[in-house]
Amino acid sequence: MIRVADAFLAFPPIAGVVLLQQLFVTMGNNDSYYKSLFDQVSPLMLSLIILSWMPYARLVHSIVLTLKQTEFVQAARALGGSSVWIIRNHILRNSTGPAIVLAARDVGGVVLLQATLTFIQIGGGSVWGEMLAQGRSWVIGPGGSLFRYWWVFLPPTLAVMFFGIAWNMFGDSLNDILEPGSQIVHSGRKKKEKTSPAVGGVI
């Protein structure tokens, strides 16, 4: 399955969007049933679903191979834990967190890709991309002034930038929350704070 993921990694998402879009147009022209079906499906979303799962599969695969050699998994196996119990209680809990963090960080990249494809008129249907495409002729206004018509292109540009930055920050926060080591550190700090004496107390 990892070799299949490597084969999918060699196929760029933009080429997948163009291929699926042309396939939809060709099949829709030949059959009215496919035309009504493809009107409800976005080629961009379908291509991203088909061509974006590989990094998560490779990440989880590498984490699982590492977890299989850890001491707590070996101890659970030595104590008689079944494979299903070990997978449910140890493997899944420690391997899904990094994939969730990666997915949160990729949300901004997917929206940026959608806006880019809409801007270059390949497809996507992004509102921000359509706004940038409509205002591209006014980036440099009459007389060479760059910010004369700033309200045409600057708001969607900032919206895309801040959207991507926000999701990256959200992914970093998830990484701090879902990392097992950080939870141990935070719990240790809380215990230390509870047992520490009050400052300025009366002796």
Side-chain angles (χ1 to χ4, degrees):
M1 292 181 66
I2 295 300
R3 300 289 78 82
V4 174
D6 293 338
F8 272 88
L9 282 173
F11 200 80
I14 296 179
V17 173
V18 176
L19 177 62
L20 288 176
Q21 192 169 11
Q22 295 300 321
L23 182 64
F24 282 12
V25 172
T26 303
M27 297 182 67
N29 293 332
N30 295 332
D31 195 338
S32 60
Y33 171 76
Y34 288 111
K35 184 177 181 180
S36 60
L37 177 63
F38 293 153
D39 288 339
Q40 303 175 3
V41 180
S42 173
L44 176 63
M45 295 297 105
L46 186 59
S47 62
L48 290 177
I49 292 171
I50 297 174
L51 301 174
S52 296
W53 59 271
M54 299 81 67
Y56 307 99
R58 291 179 60 87
L59 177 63
V60 174
H61 177 259
S62 61
I63 293 174
V64 169
L65 291 180
T66 304
L67 289 174
K68 286 174 62 177
Q69 307 301 324
T70 54
E71 295 180 356
F72 62 89
V73 172
Q74 297 294 333
R77 188 177 299 169
L79 291 173
S82 62
S83 299
V84 177
W85 186 86
I86 293 174
I87 291 173
R88 185 180 68 250
N89 291 277
H90 294 296
I91 302 296
L92 288 180
R93 290 185 178 181
N94 292 280
S95 61
T96 55
I100 295 174
V101 173
L102 181 61
R105 291 178 177 176
D106 285 347
V107 170
V110 170
V111 173
L112 180 60
L113 176 62
Q114 182 185 12
T116 303
L117 294 176
T118 305
F119 179 78
I120 61 179
Q121 297 180 354
I122 291 181
S126 172
V127 177
W128 290 333
E130 292 177 357
M131 294 172 65
L132 290 172
Q134 293 173 2
R136 75 174 110 195
S137 301
W138 301 94
V139 174
I140 299 178
S145 178
L146 181 61
F147 293 102
R148 185 171 183 178
Y149 300 102
W150 59 269
W151 62 85
V152 177
F153 62 92
L154 193 58
T157 303
L158 294 177
V160 174
M161 290 175 55
F162 288 145
F163 186 85
I165 293 173
W167 276 99
N168 283 330
M169 295 175 64
F170 179 67
D172 293 338
S173 301
L174 280 179
N175 188 24
D176 296 336
I177 295 173
L178 297 176
E179 186 179 0
S182 63
Q183 297 177 3
I184 295 174
V185 172
H186 291 320
S187 62
R189 288 178 181 175
K190 290 180 180 179
K191 291 181 180 178
K192 189 175 181 180
E193 290 174 357
K194 289 181 180 178
T195 56
S196 60
V199 178
V202 180
I203 299 176

